[in-house]
C-alpha cells in the first residue's frame, strides 16, 4: 500500500444519502482519490471488518462515519474505527445530531417493536414473532445486533473530532473538509465544518425578508402556493433557516421548500429547536392565549418541525416515559 | 436491558421536587422579596434565578433545567399589560404556549411547567403558587431526566472500549 | 469551566452574612461558608455578622487587595436592597463592580422557610449557582445618561402644587398637568382644615396663584398625559389639552359671558359642588379657580347640540376669548423626571346601602358637607337639609367604606379627623346636636388628639360602635320624619336608635379609577389595593421601581394634607438631587449583537418594544442602538442563532446558574439516599 493518508467511510443508521453525496463529488472524487487511500468503505468497496481490526491503532488518517447509532453493532464498529483513526468526522445530520432516525426517540423500543412486528397495517404476524438476539439453528448460533433503547449521535458513543453537517453534506463541504485536513491545519476539536452563521446569511431570498415580521398564520408547505421570490417565513411557512447553520447555500430554498434544519444550530446555541421556537413565537401577532393558540395550530407537530434532524442531540434527547 | 424500570423507587414521602424558577426583576422578584419581608412561609423547593424580564427566558433555559434534573420549572412575570418593558411577558406567553405543547408531546406533564403573572404587590401569590406547584409535583413524583439517561446509557457499557470482539450471544431475549 | 474573561483565573471571595439573627437563625451560615470553600475557584470563604456594615465591606476590600480576588459573591439579603452597596465596595478596592454577584438568602430563604436543614440546603444551592455564575462575569462600563432638568408633575392638588413650587423656586422648569379645569384638588373644596381649622382657601389660594404666575411653571389644566416614552433623565411625554372653547391667554375671568349666557338660570349639576347646586353650560368651577378662565361644557351648551344658539356669550366678551371651534391641542415635552400626584377619590357610599345614601335625601357624604359648610359653596355656608331647614341633630358615621371586609380593609386615616372637624363646623354653623359614630377614634398626629379633646368639651356626642343601619322607619314618635341611626353602643353594651335630621357619611379614600392606566403609562406598580407602590415603604417612600418617576400625596395611600405636603417636598428633593447630579448611571445590562455571527434574519427587529434594533443595509446585519436598549433581554432569548448577548444576563451566566442549582440538588439527593442506606 502507498503511504498516502488513509481514509475510511462507514455508515450506521442512515439512509444512504450520505454515501451518495460522496459519489456526488463527481470529478472531484478523483482528486480526493488521488490524494488519499480509501481503505474502508463497505458501501462501495469490499473490505471486511477483520481488515480493519488488523490495522494498527491510529493508522487511519481520517474516518467519516455517517448515520446515527441505533444498534450494538454500530456501536461496536464506531468504537473500532475510533481506535484505528486519528481523526473521526461525524458525517451528515444523523451522525452529527441523530438525524431523522432519532425521531424514533419519541417512542420506546418496545413501542417500536410492537408497531413494526405487529400493529403496522402491512404486517401479518399472528405468532407475534420478534427478532431475537441469538437463535440456534442446526446447532449453529445465529446472532443479531441489539437495537438500543435510544438513537444516539456519534459523539454520544465515541469521541468525535469534527462534524460535517447536512442531510447530506454537500460535496463542496466534503471537499473543503478533506482539503483542510490534508493541509494539516486542524481546526479546534469539535468544530462543525461549516460557517457559524445562520442560513439566512446566504439565502437568496434574504432581501425580501421584512423587518416587521409578525405571524398571523403558520402554513406547512403543502398548504399554500409558495411565492418563489419571497422569504418563506414572510409567507408564514416555517423556515428553520434563521436557526440553522449556513453552508448548504440554501439548497431547499432554491427548491422552493423551507429549510428544515439539517445543518443544525450555530455554535452558540445548545438546542436548535428551542431557539427556533422562541424566535417564531416571539413574533406571533396575538397577545391572548386563545389567539396565540389558534396561530400555533399551524404547527401541529412541534417536535417533528423543530427537531427533525436533531432530537437525539436536543437537550431532552427523547420523550420522557415512565419506564423504558 | 429487559424493560428495566428506570424509576427505581416510586416517590416516598421524603421526595422533594426540585423546581427552578425564573422571576422577572420588576414584578415577581419584587413580590418574592415582599413575601420575605412579610415573613410568609412557603416550601423551600423553588430556587429563583432573577432576570430582568420574563421575555429574557430562553426556552433553552427551561429545557436545560429539565435536562439537568429539575422536576419543574416556574416562570414569573408581570401581569399582561404591566411588563416593565411593556411587552416582554407577551413574548414569553407566546413561547410558553408552544413550549407547553411540545413538552407535552415529549412526555413532560403540564404541571411541571408553569407561567404565572405575579405583580410586585402579590407576595401572597408567590407563596400560594409555590406551595401549590410543590404539592402537585409531589403527587407526580420525580422526573429525573439525568437519572433516566444514565440508566439508558448503561447499555453503552456492554461493549467495552478496549475490545471489539463480536457480542457474545446472550441467552435472554431482548426486543420484547 | 474556567473562563478568564480578561481577568486571569477566577479567584473568588465568598461572604455569607448572618444579618444579626435574620439569616443565621434559619440558615446554618457556617455550614454554607464551609461548603463554599470547597467549590472550584473559591479562594476565601467567610461568614460575618453584618456584611453590609462598614467592617463587612472592609473585609471584602481587604481580601481583594491582599488575596488578589477577582470575583466576589455575597450571600445576604435581596440584591434589590444591597447589590449596589457591595458593587461600590468592590469598586473601591479596585475591582470592576460587575465581577460581583449576590445571593439572596434572607428574603428568599431565611424569612420564608421554617426548617433549618432545608433552608441551609437551599442557601447552598443558591451559593453554588452564584459561584459558578461569576466565572462568566465580565468587566463592564457603567452607562451614564444626562438628566433633562425639566420636570413633569401630574395632578395639581396640594401635593402637586407644593412639589411644583419647590422645584420651580429652585430654578428648574416644571410642567404641571391637571385634568380638571382648575388646580387645587380636594383641598380646594374644604372650608377649614383640621386640626388647626385654618381656612383652606386662605392657605391654598396664594399657592395656586403662585403656580399660575411662576415663570418656571407651565400650567396645563384641563389636560391629560397621553403617552410616555423614554427612561430616567430622558422622558418624552405627549399631553392632550382638552378644548375649553375659550382662549386661555385672552380670558381674564370676568365672567361676563356666564351672565350673558342664554340660560338665565343655572340648570346643570355643578360637579365641583358635588352636584348640590347648578351651573350654566359656560362656567368656572369656583371663584378662586386657577387659572381664572371659564370653560364650556359641550354636552349642555345649546350651540354644540344644535348650532342654533344666539351665542350671546360670544357677543358679551369684548376680549374675543370665546372660540367654539377650538380643537384639542397636543403637546410634546421632554423631561428628565416625573412626579405623580394624582390623589384619591372618595368611596362611593351607594355601595354600602345600609347607610341609605341615594335613598334618603338627607344622607350626605362628607365631601358634600365640606361644600355645604363652605362660604363659597352651594348654600353659601348655610348647613341646611334638602328641605332648606337647619338640622337640629346630625349624625356623623365614621369608616364608611373603610375597615370593612365588604368594602376596603384599610383605614383611610383622615376620616376620624375630618369627621371631628365637620362636627365642630356643623355645630358652629347650626348649633345642632352632633353625634359621631365611630369604631375606634384614630387621632395620631401633632395636635390631633388635643383637637379631639377639645371637641369633647364642645358637647359633641360620641358613640362607639359600627352603625348597622340608617332608616326612616319610625318606631316611636320622636323618630317621625327623621332618620334613625341604629347602632350598638359598645361602651355601654346596648343597641341604640338615634333619630337625627341629617346623616353625614365619612367616606373613605380609595385609588382613582384610572390609577391603573396612569401606572401603566408611567410603568410603575400598584399595591393590591390600587395605590401607587413605593420602592420601599420606609426607605424610599416617594420613589418607584422606575427610575426618575416619583409619587407623592394621596395617590400613594390615604394621607392628610401635612403628610401630602411632606411627601411632595421629599419627591421634589429627589428630583432636584437627580437634576443637580446632572447625569444618572444606568445598569449596563444592555444587549448587543455580535456582528460577525448575525445572519441578518431580522427576527429580533420587531421584538424590541423600544425600536432599539435596526437593520444595517450595508452590512446586512442587525444592530442595537445601546442608548435606546433598556435591557429587557427579550431579543436575546429570541435570536435563533444565538448572536445577541445581554450584559449581566448572558446565556452562559444563566446556564451556569441553572447548573449550579441542580447539580447541588443531585448531591443533596445522594446525601439523603446515603443517609437512608
Ligand atoms: C372630606 C374630606 C375632608 C378632608 N379634610 C382634611 C383636612 O381638614 N385636613 C387635612 O389635612 N386633610 C384633609 N383631607 C385629606 C386631603 O383631602 C388630602 O390629604 C389631600 O387632598 C391630598 O392631596 P393630593 O394632592 O395628594 O390629592 P388630591 O387633592 O386628590 O389632588 C389630586 C389632583 O390630581 C388631579 N388628577 C388626578 N388624576 C389626574 C390625571 N390622570 N391627570 C391629571 N391630573 C389628575 C386631580 O384632578 C386633583 O386635582 C380630607 C379629605 C376628605 C375626603
Ligand atoms: S427565513 Fe428561510 S427563506 Fe427567509 S431568508 Fe431565512 S433562510 Fe431564507
Ligand atoms: S436548506 Fe436547511 S434543510 Fe435544506 S439542506 Fe440547507 S440546511 Fe438542510
Ligand atoms: S435575530 Fe439574531 S441573527 Fe437574526 S438579525 Fe437579529 S441578531 Fe441577527
Ligand atoms: S434587550 Fe433587546 S428587546 Fe430589550 S430593549 Fe434591548 S434591544 Fe430591545
Ligand atoms: S418586566 Fe416583568 S415580565 Fe417584563
Amino acid at each position: 500500500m502507498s503511504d498516502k493518508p488513509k481514509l475510511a467511510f462507514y455508515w450506521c443508521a442512515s439512509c444512504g444519502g450520505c454515501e451518495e453525496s460522496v459519489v456526488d463529488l463527481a470529478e472531484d472524487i478523483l482528486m480526493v482519490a488521488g490524494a488519499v487511500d480509501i481503505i474502508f468503505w463497505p458501501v462501495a468497496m469490499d473490505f471486511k471488518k477483520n481488515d480493519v481490526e488488523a490495522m494498527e491503532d491510529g493508522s487511519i488518517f481520517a474516518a467519516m462515519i455517517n448515520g446515527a447509532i441505533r444498534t450494538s453493532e454500530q456501536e461496536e464498529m464506531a468504537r473500532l474505527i475510533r481506535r484505528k483513526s486519528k481523526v473521526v468526522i461525524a458525517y451528515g445530520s444523523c451522525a452529527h445530531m441523530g438525524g431523522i432516525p432519532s425521531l424514533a426517540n419519541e417512542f420506546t423500543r418496545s413501542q417500536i417493536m410492537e408497531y413494526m412486528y405487529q400493529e403496522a397495517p402491512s404486517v401479518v404476524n399472528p405468532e407475534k414473532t420478534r427478532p431475537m438476539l441469538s437463535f440456534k439453528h442446526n446447532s449453529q448460533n445465529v446472532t443479531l445486533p441489539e437495537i438500543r433503547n435510544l438513537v444516539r449521535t456519534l459523539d454520544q458513543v465515541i469521541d468525535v473530532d469534527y462534524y460535517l453537517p447536512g442531510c447530506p453534506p454537500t460535496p463542496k463541504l466534503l471537499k473543503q473538509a478533506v482539503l483542510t485536513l490534508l493541509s494539516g491545519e486542524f481546526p479546534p476539536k469539535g468544530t462543525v465544518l461549516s460557517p457559524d452563521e445562520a442560513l439566512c446569511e446566504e439565502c437568496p431570498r434574504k432581501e425580501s425578508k421584512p423587518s416587521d415580521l409578525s405571524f398571523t398564520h403558520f402554513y406547512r408547505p403543502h398548504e399554500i402556493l409558495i411565492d418563489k421570490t419571497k422569504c418563506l417565513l414572510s409567507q408564514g411557512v416555517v423556515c428553520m433557516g434563521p436557526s440553522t447553520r449556513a453552508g448548504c447555500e440554501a439548497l431547499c430554498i432554491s427548491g422552493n421548500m423551507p429549510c428544515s434544519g439539517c445543518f443544525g444550530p450555530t455554535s452558540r446555541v445548545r438546542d436548535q429547536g428551542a431557539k427556533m421556537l422562541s424566535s417564531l413565537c416571539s413574533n406571533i401577532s396575538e397577545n391572548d392565549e386563545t389567539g396565540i393558540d389558534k396561530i400555533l395550530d399551524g404547527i401541529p407537530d412541534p417536535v417533528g418541525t423543530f427537531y427533525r434532524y436533531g432530537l437525539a442531540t436536543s437537550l431532552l434527547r427523547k420523550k420522557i416515559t415512565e419506564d423504558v | 436491558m429487559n424493560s428495566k424500570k428506570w424509576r427505581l423507587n416510586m416517590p416516598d414521602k421524603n421526595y422533594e421536587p426540585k423546581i427552578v424558577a425564573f422571576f422577572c426583576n420588576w414584578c415577581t422578584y419584587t413580590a418574592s422579596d415582599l413575601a420575605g419581608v412579610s415573613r410568609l412561609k412557603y416550601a423551600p423547593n423553588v430556587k429563583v434565578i432573577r432576570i430582568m424580564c420574563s421575555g429574557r427566558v430562553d426556552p433553552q433555559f427551561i429545557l436545560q433545567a429539565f435536562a439537568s434534573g429539575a422536576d419543574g420549572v416556574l416562570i414569573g412575570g408581570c401581569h399582561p399589560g404591566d411588563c416593565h418593558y411593556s411587552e416582554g411577558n407577551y413574548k414569553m406567553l407566546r413561547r410558553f404556549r408552544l413550549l407547553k405543547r411540545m413538552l407535552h408531546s415529549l412526555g413532560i406533564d403540564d404541571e411541571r411547567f408553569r407561567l404565572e403573572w405575579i405583580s410586585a404587590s402579590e407576595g401572597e401569590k408567590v407563596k400560594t403558587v409555590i406551595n401549590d406547584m410543590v404539592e402537585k409535583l409531589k403527587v407526580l413524583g420525580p422526573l429525573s431526566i439525568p437519572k433516566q439517561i444514565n440508566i439508558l446509557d448503561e447499555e453503552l457499557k456492554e461493549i467495552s472500549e478496549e475490545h471489539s470482539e463480536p457480542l457474545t450471544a446472550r441467552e435472554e431475549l431482548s426486543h420484547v | 469551566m474556567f473562563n478568564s474573561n480578561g481577568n486571569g483565573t477566577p479567584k473568588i471571595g465568598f461572604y455569607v452574612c448572618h444579618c444579626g439573627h435574620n439569616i443565621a437563625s434559619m440558615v446554618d451560615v457556617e455550614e454554607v461558608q464551609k461548603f463554599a470553600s470547597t467549590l472550584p475557584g473559591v479562594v476565601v470563604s467567610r461568614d460575618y455578622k453584618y456584611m453590609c456594615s462598614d467592617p463587612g465591606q472592609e473585609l471584602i476590600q481587604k481580601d481583594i487587595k491582599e488575596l488578589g480576588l477577582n470575583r466576589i459573591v455575597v450571600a445576604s439579603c435581596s440584591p434589590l436592597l444591597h447589590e449596589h452597596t457591595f458593587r461600590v465596595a468592590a469598586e473601591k478596592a479596585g475591582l470592576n463592580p460587575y465581577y460581583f454577584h449576590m445571593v439572596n438568602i434572607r428574603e428568599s430563604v431565611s424569612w420564608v422557610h421554617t426548617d433549618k436543614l432545608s433552608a441551609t440546603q437551599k442557601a447552598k444551592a443558591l451559593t453554588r449557582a452564584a459561584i459558578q455564575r461569576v466565572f462568566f462575569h465580565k468587566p463592564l462600563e457603567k452607562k451614564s445618561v444626562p438628566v433633562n432638568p425639566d420636570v413633569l408633575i401630574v395632578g395639581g392638588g396640594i401635593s402637586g402644587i407644593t412639589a411644583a413650587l419647590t422645584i420651580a423656586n429652585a430654578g428648574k422648569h416644571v410642567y404641571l398637568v391637571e385634568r380638571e379645569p382648575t388646580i387645587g384638588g380636594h383641598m380646594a373644596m374644604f372650608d377649614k382644615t383640621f386640626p388647626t381649622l385654618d381656612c383652606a382657601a386662605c392657605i391654598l389660594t396664594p399657592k395656586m396663584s403662585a403656580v399660575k404666575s411662576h415663570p418656571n411653571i407651565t400650567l396645563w389644566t384641563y389636560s391629560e398625559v397621553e403617552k410616555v416614552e423614554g427612561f430616567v433623565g430622558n422622558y418624552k411625554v405627549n399631553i392632550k389639552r382638552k378644548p375649553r372653547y375659550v382662549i386661555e391667554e385672552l380670558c381674564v375671568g370676568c365672567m361676563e359671558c356666564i351672565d350673558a349666557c342664554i340660560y338665565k338660570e343655572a340648570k346643570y349639576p355643578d360637579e365641583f359642588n358635588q352636584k348640590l347646586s347648578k351651573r350654566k353650560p359656560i362656567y368656572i368651577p369656583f371663584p378662586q379657580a386657577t387659572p381664572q378662565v371659564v370653560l364650556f361644557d359641550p354636552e349642555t351648551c345649546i350651540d354644540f347640540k344644535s348650532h342654533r344658539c344666539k351665542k350671546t356669550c360670544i357677543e358679551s366678551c369684548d376680549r374675543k376669548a370665546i372660540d367654539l371651534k377650538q380643537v384639542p391641542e397636543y403637546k410634546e415635552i421632554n423631561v428628565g423626571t416625573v412626579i405623580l400626584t394624582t390623589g384619591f377619590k372618595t368611596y362611593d357610599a351607594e355601595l354600602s346601602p345600609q347607610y341609605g345614601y341615594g335613598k334618603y335625601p338627607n344622607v350626605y357624604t362628607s365631601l358634600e358637607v365640606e361644600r355645604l359648610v363652605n362660604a363659597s359653596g352651594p348654600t353659601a355656608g348655610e348647613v341646611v337639609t334638602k328641605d332648606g331647614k337647619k338640622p337640629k341633630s346630625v349624625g356623623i358615621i365614621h369608616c364608611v367604606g373603610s375597615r370593612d371586609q365588604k368594602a376596603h380593609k384599610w383605614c383611610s386615616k383622615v376620616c376620624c379627623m375630618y369627621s371631628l372637624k365637620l362636627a365642630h363646623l356643623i355645630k358652629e354653623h347650626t348649633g345642632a346636636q352632633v353625634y359621631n359614630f365611630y369604631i375606634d377614634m384614630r387621632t395620631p398626629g401633632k395636635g390631633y388628639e388635643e383637637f379631639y379633646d377639645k371637641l369633647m368639651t364642645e358637647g359633641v356626642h360620641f358613640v362607639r360602635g359600627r352603625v348597622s343601619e340608617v332608616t326612616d322607619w319610625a318606631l316611636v314618635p320622636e323618630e317621625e320624619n327623621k332618620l334613625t341611626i341604629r347602632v350598638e353602643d359598645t361602651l355601654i353594651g346596648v343597641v341604640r336608635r338615634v333619630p337625627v335630621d341629617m346623616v353625614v357619611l365619612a367616606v373613605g379614600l380609595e385609588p382613582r379609577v384610572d390609577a391603573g392606566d396612569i401606572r401603566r403609562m408611567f410603568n410603575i406598580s400598584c399595591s393590591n389595593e390600587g395605590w401607587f407602590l413605593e420602592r420601599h415603604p420606609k426607605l424610599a417612600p416617594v420613589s418607584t421601581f422606575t427610575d426618575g418617576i416619583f409619587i407623592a400625596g394621596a395617590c400613594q395611600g390615604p394621607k392628610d394634607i401635612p403628610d401630602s405636603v411632606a411627601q411632595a417636598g421629599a419627591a421634589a428633593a429627589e428630583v432636584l438631587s437627580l437634576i443637580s447630579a446632572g447625569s444618572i448611571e444606568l445598569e449596563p445590562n444592555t444587549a448587543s449583537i455580535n456582528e460577525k455571527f448575525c445572519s441578518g434574519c431580522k427576527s429580533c427587529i420587531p421584538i424590541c418594544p423600544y425600536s432599539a434594533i435596526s437593520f444595517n443595509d450595508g452590512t446586512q446585519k442587525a444592530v442595537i442602538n445601546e442608548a435606546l436598549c433598556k435591557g429587557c433581554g427579550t431579543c436575546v432569548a429570541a435570536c435563533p442563532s444565538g448572536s445577541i448577548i445581554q450584559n449581566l444576563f448572558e446565556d452562559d451566566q444563566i446556564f451556569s446558574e441553572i447548573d449550579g442549582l441542580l447539580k447541588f440538588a443531585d448531591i443533596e439527593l445522594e446525601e439523603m439516599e446515603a443517609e437512608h442506606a
Side-chain angles (χ1 to χ4, degrees), chain C residues 204-243:
Chain C
L204 184 62
T205 317
K207 284 189 174 285
M208 287 166 49
S209 20
V211 164
K212 176 70 198 133
S213 58
H214 205 297
N216 287 336
I217 298 179
T218 303
L219 173 62
W220 285 329
T221 53
Y222 213 41
S223 302
E224 270 169 30
V225 176
E226 294 224 299
K227 196 167 145 206
V228 184
E229 285 174 338
F231 48 92
V232 58
N234 304 274
Y235 287 106
K236 187 170 96 187
V237 186
N238 293 82
I239 291 151
K240 175 182 178 184
R241 305 211 57 202
K242 293 174 276 187

Side-chain angles (χ1 to χ4, degrees), chain A residues 199-200 203 205-206 209 230-233 239 241-242 253 259, chain C residues 601:
Chain A
L199 183 66
C200 298
C203 176
R205 302 192 190 178
K206 182 175 174 187
K209 192 167 187 178
K230 286 210 196 82
C231 163
L232 288 130
L233 271 184
C239 177
I253 286 104
C259 169
Chain C
C601 78

Side-chain angles (χ1 to χ4, degrees), chain C residues 84 91 98 142-145 232 547 583-587:
Chain C
H84 187 68
E91 192 174 23
Y98 301 100
K142 273 184 209 153
K143 203 169 97 181
S144 159
V145 294
V232 58
D547 287 334
S583 65
I584 177 164
E585 270 168 7
L586 298 184
E587 277 274 286

Side-chain angles (χ1 to χ4, degrees), chain C residues 523-525 533-535 540 542-547 549-551:
Chain C
N523 213 351
I524 63 169
S525 301
L533 194 66
E534 63 284 348
R535 190 172 198 125
V542 297
S543 304
T544 66
F545 287 102
T546 301
D547 287 334
I549 312 274
F550 300 91
I551 49 179

Side-chain angles (χ1 to χ4, degrees), chain C residues 253-290:
Chain C
C254 66
M255 299 188 235
E256 295 279 350
C257 52
I258 301 182
D259 287 340
C261 174
I262 199 106
Y263 281 106
K264 286 298 151 234
E265 294 299 321
K267 227 182 125 179
Y268 301 102
D270 180 337
E271 297 85 355
F272 190 79
N273 277 335
Q274 302 295 301
K275 308 194 173 156
L276 293 174
S277 66
K278 303 260 187 311
R279 60 156 173 80
K280 293 184 179 180
I282 183 165
Y283 66 105
I284 191 159
F286 63 101
Q288 300 89 346
T290 307

Side-chain angles (χ1 to χ4, degrees), chain C residues 254-266 280-283 294 296 301-302 309-318 322:
Chain C
C254 66
M255 299 188 235
E256 295 279 350
C257 52
I258 301 182
D259 287 340
C261 174
I262 199 106
Y263 281 106
K264 286 298 151 234
E265 294 299 321
K280 293 184 179 180
I282 183 165
Y283 66 105
V294 297
F296 278 83
C301 168
I302 298 180
C309 183
K310 279 199 244 149
K311 299 193 249 262
T312 38
C313 53
I314 297 190
E315 285 161 26
S316 75
C317 180
D318 45 16
I322 298 177

